[in-house]
Amino acid sequence: MRIETIATVTPTVVIREDSFDVSTTDSYQLCLEMGKERFRFCVVEPHPRRCVWLEDYTFPTLLTENPLLPSLRTIYQNHPILQSSYWKSIQVSVNSPSFTLVPSGLFRKEYAGQYLQLMRGNPLSSSEHALAYAHKKEDFQAVFSVDNALTDWLSATYPLQQITLVHQSSTLIQATSLTDSVLNSDQKLSLNFEDESVTVIYRKGGEFRFCNRFAYKNATDLVYYILYVINELKTEPKELQVVLFGEITPFAEIYTALEQFLPTIRFGSTPPGLQLTPAFDELPEHRYFSLYGNTLIE
């Protein structure tokens, strides 16, 4: 494993399986996760599902308000893997606060923008549009916004491929549905951490009940939001199995704060069925859970 820490368009994390043949990408799944200041991707062998390549990039926002597309163009220009236009499948997740969940019985495709307007308090701009992904098992639609320039770039980059585009919350919902099934608890609260935000997913008796994202500035804010959600769900911290994913470690201040109020708390692992090669041994399994969840999107 090689881990590099730099800025601009150099990856902060690089994990490559030496035996991977870059000329065989048409047999592999490419999973991309994109946010305003971050880009991650992994390459997965479908059968068995085995992750063989992962890279993580963080972009500074000092030079441009939205560095994602300029950075993507630079990364792709000479990349030995991403230059390939032929993949077995491509799944892309958008990491943004602009999303909402709509019951399938109430959903109308032509009103997707209005659903987001109700959630955001303002209409979509002319530079973005609304998309939806159907969670058939839970019977709802995940509606989210995406920049026109990003979808145009994806279409131009992979002109001969069908791309499945979802919101990051969908990858988390799919992945936690499998992870929760192996936990011995009736009520499960999954927390996925990004930079100053957390996505909260709650299930009771195996049934999906709640998903939302909250921004926070410090550990006190975070604990308040989590306890508020627990109270609104009419349950108690002692009744919950709490599982942590994403950008959090046992040494973080937010972990210490949560531990004081949540008696049953643990770090998560990769989604069941996804194997990691020995090159991943030094990487915490919970860190890239949302990226790994792309492998479950169909």
Side-chain angles (χ1 to χ4, degrees):
M1 179 180 73
R2 182 169 85 252
I3 298 182
E4 306 166 347
T5 305
I6 338 88
T8 320
V9 292
T10 306
T12 56
V13 173
V14 180
I15 302 176
R16 300 172 180 173
E17 184 63 35
D18 293 337
S19 62
F20 177 59
D21 183 355
V22 298
S23 67
T24 61
T25 58
D26 58 345
S27 299
Y28 287 79
Q29 180 181 22
L30 177 63
C31 298
L32 312 173
E33 183 177 282
M34 302 179 175
K36 181 179 180 182
E37 301 172 7
R38 171 164 277 167
F39 168 63
R40 298 165 167 171
F41 79 88
C42 66
V43 176
V44 177
E45 181 183 7
H47 303 292
R49 285 198 301 125
R50 189 172 67 100
C51 192
V52 298
W53 195 303
L54 184 148
E55 293 187 18
D56 187 357
Y57 297 79
T58 302
F59 314 132
T61 55
L62 299 177
L63 300 179
T64 175
E65 182 178 345
N66 190 352
L68 177 60
L69 274 180
S71 299
L72 284 176
R73 293 187 183 102
T74 302
I75 293 168
Y76 268 67
Q77 187 174 8
N78 297 306
H79 200 283
I81 286 290
L82 296 176
Q83 275 194 326
S84 174
S85 300
Y86 301 98
W87 297 87
K88 184 178 180 63
S89 65
I90 300 176
Q91 280 71 30
V92 181
S93 59
V94 178
N95 182 357
S96 74
S98 182
F99 77 100
T100 190
L101 308 181
V102 180
S104 294
L106 301 177
F107 177 76
R108 298 294 181 272
K109 183 178 181 180
E110 61 271 25
Y111 297 143
Q114 283 87 331
Y115 300 136
L116 289 173
Q117 180 174 341
L118 286 173
M119 182 277 298
R120 295 168 20 152
N122 56 73
L124 297 185
S125 68
S126 59
S127 65
E128 59 184 334
H129 61 284
L131 295 176
Y133 175 75
H135 288 263
K136 297 178 182 179
K137 180 180 177 182
E138 290 87 0
D139 198 30
F140 65 79
Q141 298 271 344
V143 184
F144 61 102
S145 66
V146 62
D147 289 342
N148 300 334
L150 179 58
T151 52
D152 290 345
W153 179 84
L154 286 168
S155 297
T157 303
Y158 302 105
L160 303 177
Q161 297 236 214
Q162 180 70 38
I163 298 173
T164 303
L165 187 61
V166 302
H167 189 266
Q168 185 203 46
S169 60
S170 289
T171 71
L172 292 170
I173 291 168
Q174 295 290 86
T176 55
S177 69
L178 297 181
T179 303
D180 289 352
S181 66
V182 301
L183 298 178
N184 296 320
S185 176
D186 181 60
Q187 299 187 68
K188 307 174 186 72
L189 196 72
S190 301
L191 307 179
N192 188 77
F193 293 89
E194 303 288 340
D195 295 331
E196 297 187 336
S197 72
V198 59
T199 301
V200 183
I201 296 175
Y202 171 72
R203 285 185 174 86
K204 183 175 182 179
E207 181 181 343
F208 176 86
R209 296 290 186 87
F210 177 85
C211 175
N212 206 349
R213 174 180 291 196
F214 300 92
Y216 64 91
K217 289 296 183 182
N218 52 54
T220 302
D221 287 347
L222 173 66
V223 170
Y224 171 81
Y225 289 134
I226 298 301
L227 293 180
Y228 175 78
V229 168
I230 292 173
N231 182 67
E232 289 295 299
L233 293 171
K234 304 190 186 310
T235 187
E236 299 289 336
K238 64 182 180 180
E239 302 295 331
L240 294 169
Q241 171 70 68
V242 182
V243 188
L244 310 179
F245 300 101
E247 303 292 330
I248 184 171
T249 72
F251 313 104
E253 180 185 1
I254 56 175
Y255 176 79
T256 303
L258 289 171
E259 197 176 28
Q260 296 178 34
F261 296 93
L262 303 172
T264 308
I265 190 170
R266 61 186 288 270
F267 285 91
S269 58
T270 56
L274 178 64
Q275 302 174 20
L276 300 179
T277 70
F280 287 76
D281 286 349
E282 297 178 32
L283 192 68
E285 289 190 31
H286 69 275
R287 183 173 178 184
Y288 291 104
F289 186 75
S290 61
L291 177 62
Y292 297 148
N294 273 282
T295 66
L296 304 171
I297 298 296
E298 298 178 352

